[in-house]
Amino acid sequence: MFITLLIAALVASTLYYVFFFVRVQIGLKRLRPPVQSPGDASFVSVVVAARNEESTIAGCVGRILNQQYNPGLELIVVNDNSSDATESILRKIADERPNLRIVTLANDREAGSGGKPVAISAGVDAARGDIVATTDADCVVPPTWVRTMVNYLEPGVALVSGPVREETDEAFISRIGHLELLGLITTAAGLIGANHPIICNGANLAYRKSAFLAALGDTRNQGWCDDDTLMQRIHVKRLGKIVFAASPDAVVTTSSKSSITGFWKQRLRWSAMGGHHEQSTTLISVVGLYVFFVLLLAVLVLSLSFPELCIWFVLSLAVKIVVDYTTLAAGARLLLDFVSIPVFLVAQLFHVPYIVVTAALGQLAPLNWKGRRLNS
């Protein structure tokens, strides 16, 4: 009886997995370029949170300040109690570039334990523009980034989520990281296209300042009030449309992790930041996916004692591989990226236990950002 129920549960969860990613693929097909271009009509405030980013901040700032955007922009870098040379580097640049403004959170007491959400909130408060764009201090933006993101902020649109790509190096783990982030961005884009926004990436967002303030209100300085929360609240409160900038001209790049330790710590942090959802349907969707991975792993382990489970494990895994590959390929075509089949197949060998473990530990382990323990 137990084996029969387990098989039935696995079949049901596999069908849900297929349903979820078919919806993602349908959403990808619904993504469109902006109906009309505003023609560089709005002054933009770009906000970047920086904490101990001396090795990357100059490159990030330089690319933002050299945007191809006619009405102009200001760059607000929020220095979140950096203990390295981040602020001195910023001061030198600001001496020559008056549109760079530095907001300093003087100490950990001022920043509290909110981390990046507190820094972003401080930057938004200081913003002069009605439109705010955000990226991370370790990212590089193309010269067309602001213009492209603004073009998607048509009347009625409150938030634009954009694509982020990890650049690979010779380390194999970096190629796996590139593939995983492509999967996350593809999923985020498809869900937005399907009008069911769940996740986004704060390294590439643009939104109306009024929507940010209305969505988050008094809770915006909480550590859990991250980019996903902002997007979901805008959707739930119907403050405007949410769209995805499905354009190569909007792709923000970041370096991949070259060590297993660095990769693991980053992914644990991502998992820990994904535990708050604004709708029960969103939570059900996420839990449903996790149950599929747990059941698949359980069936694999139990098949050592119950050989009749092997065929069901193989069938479910085969379905997963086909669904994952077709979804990744659709996202790669959309964003002019690529899917390495050898890397994809190797990643599939570890994907199920990896998801089960990181999702569990992400909710149980303390969340840290740049050496600071955060509220969760």
Side-chain angles (χ1 to χ4, degrees):
M1 183 65 177
F2 169 74
I3 297 300
T4 302
L5 290 175
L6 183 61
I7 292 172
L10 179 62
V11 170
S13 65
T14 302
L15 291 175
Y16 174 75
Y17 192 83
V18 172
F19 164 77
F20 183 92
F21 282 101
V22 166
R23 179 169 57 177
V24 168
Q25 293 185 31
I26 292 173
L28 290 173
K29 293 179 181 179
R30 291 176 178 172
L31 297 177
R32 295 290 183 269
V35 176
Q36 59 181 4
S37 170
D40 292 346
S42 302
F43 182 80
V44 173
S45 297
V46 179
V47 175
V48 174
R51 178 173 168 85
N52 297 336
E53 301 282 2
E54 63 181 8
S55 63
T56 60
I57 192 64
C60 174
V61 166
R63 295 298 289 270
I64 294 172
L65 293 176
N66 290 319
Q67 289 290 293
Q68 299 171 357
Y69 190 68
N70 293 332
L73 57 82
E74 64 173 354
L75 170 58
I76 301 171
V77 179
V78 183
N79 177 28
D80 186 2
N81 193 35
S82 295
S83 58
D84 62 2
T86 297
E87 182 160 7
S88 62
I89 293 171
L90 289 170
R91 297 293 177 191
K92 290 179 181 178
I93 300 174
D95 287 341
E96 299 179 357
R97 303 297 295 268
N99 55 335
L100 169 60
R101 300 168 57 202
I102 304 168
V103 174
T104 300
L105 300 183
N107 50 56
D108 279 335
R109 177 175 296 180
E110 181 179 345
S113 56
K116 184 181 174 182
V118 173
I120 293 296
S121 180
V124 172
D125 285 341
R128 299 182 182 129
D130 295 327
I131 293 177
V132 175
T134 66
T135 188
D136 290 343
D138 60 352
C139 290
V140 174
V141 300
T144 54
W145 174 58
V146 168
R147 184 181 65 201
T148 304
M149 296 294 281
V150 170
N151 283 350
Y152 277 88
L153 271 167
E154 300 164 351
V157 175
L159 181 145
V160 180
S161 174
V164 182
R165 177 184 300 156
E166 281 193 359
E167 297 293 348
T168 61
D169 55 30
E170 295 181 356
F172 192 78
I173 191 67
S174 75
R175 300 178 187 180
I176 291 179
H178 167 268
L179 197 64
E180 185 189 23
L181 184 57
L182 173 61
L184 289 171
I185 296 299
T186 298
T187 301
L191 290 172
I192 289 173
N195 196 33
H196 187 59
I198 294 179
I199 57 173
C200 60
N201 194 310
N204 194 355
L205 286 180
Y207 42 79
R208 301 188 188 281
K209 181 176 179 178
S210 57
F212 177 93
L213 298 175
L216 299 185
D218 295 336
T219 67
R220 57 198 177 96
N221 288 325
Q222 302 297 318
W224 53 267
C225 215
D226 60 3
D227 310 300
D228 294 346
T229 304
L230 170 64
M231 182 181 69
Q232 291 179 27
R233 285 197 179 179
I234 288 175
H235 179 67
V236 170
K237 294 184 176 183
R238 299 186 179 184
L239 299 174
K241 295 179 182 178
I242 295 168
V243 300
F244 186 85
S247 170
D249 291 334
V251 176
V252 171
T253 58
T254 185
S255 59
S256 60
K257 300 299 180 182
S258 299
S259 70
I260 294 177
T261 300
F263 175 90
W264 178 252
K265 289 181 178 179
Q266 183 186 60
R267 268 46 180 187
L268 275 181
R269 189 175 71 251
W270 288 1
S271 177
M273 295 175 67
H276 300 275
H277 302 289
E278 296 301 309
Q279 288 181 297
S280 58
T281 53
T282 300
L283 181 60
I284 291 171
S285 295
V286 174
V287 171
L289 292 177
Y290 186 66
V291 167
F292 168 73
F293 282 92
V294 171
L295 286 172
L296 200 55
L297 183 60
V299 168
L300 172 61
V301 173
L302 289 173
S303 65
L304 299 176
S305 301
F306 302 94
E308 62 269 32
L309 290 175
C310 287
I311 184 62
W312 296 102
F313 170 78
V314 171
L315 288 173
S316 291
L317 182 62
V319 169
K320 175 187 179 300
I321 290 173
V322 171
V323 169
D324 288 357
Y325 182 78
T326 54
T327 304
L328 280 169
R333 288 193 299 270
L334 187 70
L335 300 173
L336 301 183
D337 207 335
F338 66 95
V339 178
S340 168
I341 293 179
V343 175
F344 169 77
L345 292 177
V346 171
Q348 285 292 312
L349 295 176
F350 303 98
H351 195 212
V352 172
Y354 161 75
I355 291 296
V356 171
V357 173
T358 55
L361 291 180
Q363 300 306 309
L364 298 175
L367 175 59
N368 291 278
W369 183 65
K370 300 290 183 180
R372 178 194 290 141
R373 182 169 178 172
L374 307 180
N375 288 329
S376 58

